[in-house]
Amino acid sequence: AKVGYGTANEVRASAAFGGPIIEDTLFARIAGSFIDRDGHYKSITTGDFVDPYQEKIGRVRLIWTPSSRFTADFRAEISETDGGATNFLSQSVIPGVSTDSTFDGIVDANDLRANFVTNVRNFNDREKRFISLKWDYDFDFGTLTSTTSYDKNSDTFGSDDFPYLPSADSTQFNAKSHRAYTQEIRFSSP
């Protein structure tokens, strides 16, 4: 197990446990991690951090070997991430379209002198789910293998939009979702 603390009030923790449940037959491993961070940058308009981050991950694995011929391997993972989304500093040379009145017109993506002025609470929420089961049966003349899996991902974010000014009422939003089921059956001979 590990625990840590860092900049932006970041707290980290992770742990993993594993070992036999039934000697020489059933093995298990459970792992998890957690990260929580306030953020590094604040909007001068709202006073909120524009880049908070929180992530939770859990994993389970079971390996079952009831005989010398059969093995099953089950895996599952779940993760949830909540954080900031698009945090754009407009460095437009067009008058009135820069995010900071002190901006001197130098267009440089690495120049972070301008303040974040967003008036929209940005967010990026992700969820991931993964489950798989693989089993092998060893015949005298070859091995039959089956692999089944399910994968689900969803990603939603929203944030300020052009011209990225506190007086503008513009937002952007995007939501993506993905699901996949797979099944493979294979026979291999020695």
Side-chain angles (χ1 to χ4, degrees):
K2 294 180 182 178
V3 176
Y5 179 81
T7 58
N9 289 323
E10 181 175 288
V11 176
R12 291 178 169 262
S14 63
F17 307 95
I21 296 174
I22 301 172
E23 194 68 37
D24 298 326
T25 304
L26 183 61
F27 170 84
R29 178 175 170 83
I30 298 172
S33 64
F34 174 79
I35 300 172
D36 188 22
R37 176 175 60 236
D38 287 345
H40 297 277
Y41 305 102
K42 282 188 174 185
S43 166
I44 62 171
T45 305
T46 64
D48 296 332
F49 285 103
V50 297
D51 60 335
Y53 185 80
Q54 185 180 80
E55 179 181 65
K56 298 174 270 191
I57 300 173
R59 295 183 180 102
V60 174
R61 183 175 185 192
L62 297 171
I63 298 174
W64 183 42
T65 311
S67 71
S68 61
R69 290 184 178 267
F70 182 82
T71 300
D73 186 347
F74 172 81
R75 299 175 190 218
E77 178 177 332
I78 184 171
S79 70
E80 295 181 359
T81 306
D82 298 314
T86 308
N87 296 303
F88 185 76
L89 288 173
S90 177
Q91 295 185 10
S92 176
V93 293
I94 302 169
V97 184
S98 176
T99 57
D100 192 334
S101 60
T102 62
F103 177 67
D104 59 11
I106 300 169
V107 178
D108 179 359
N110 296 313
D111 185 355
L112 296 178
R113 288 179 293 154
N115 291 306
F116 288 95
V117 296
T118 181
N119 62 346
V120 175
R121 182 198 166 272
N122 68 72
F123 64 91
N124 187 358
D125 300 330
R126 284 188 308 253
E127 291 184 2
K128 296 181 181 182
R129 310 286 186 263
F130 176 76
I131 298 171
S132 71
L133 175 62
K134 175 182 176 278
W135 58 261
D136 298 293
Y137 190 87
D138 187 15
F139 295 95
D140 291 334
F141 53 90
T143 302
L144 180 64
T145 300
S146 171
T147 305
T148 307
S149 70
Y150 169 74
D151 184 26
K152 178 185 176 187
N153 295 305
S154 65
D155 191 351
T156 306
F157 79 84
S159 67
D160 209 357
D161 200 359
F162 184 82
Y164 308 99
L165 299 174
S167 59
D169 187 17
S170 55
T171 59
Q172 56 183 309
F173 178 82
N174 189 344
K176 298 182 280 187
S177 184
H178 160 82
R179 286 184 189 195
Y181 302 89
T182 62
Q183 174 63 57
E184 176 185 346
I185 296 176
R186 180 177 63 238
F187 185 81
S188 56
S189 59

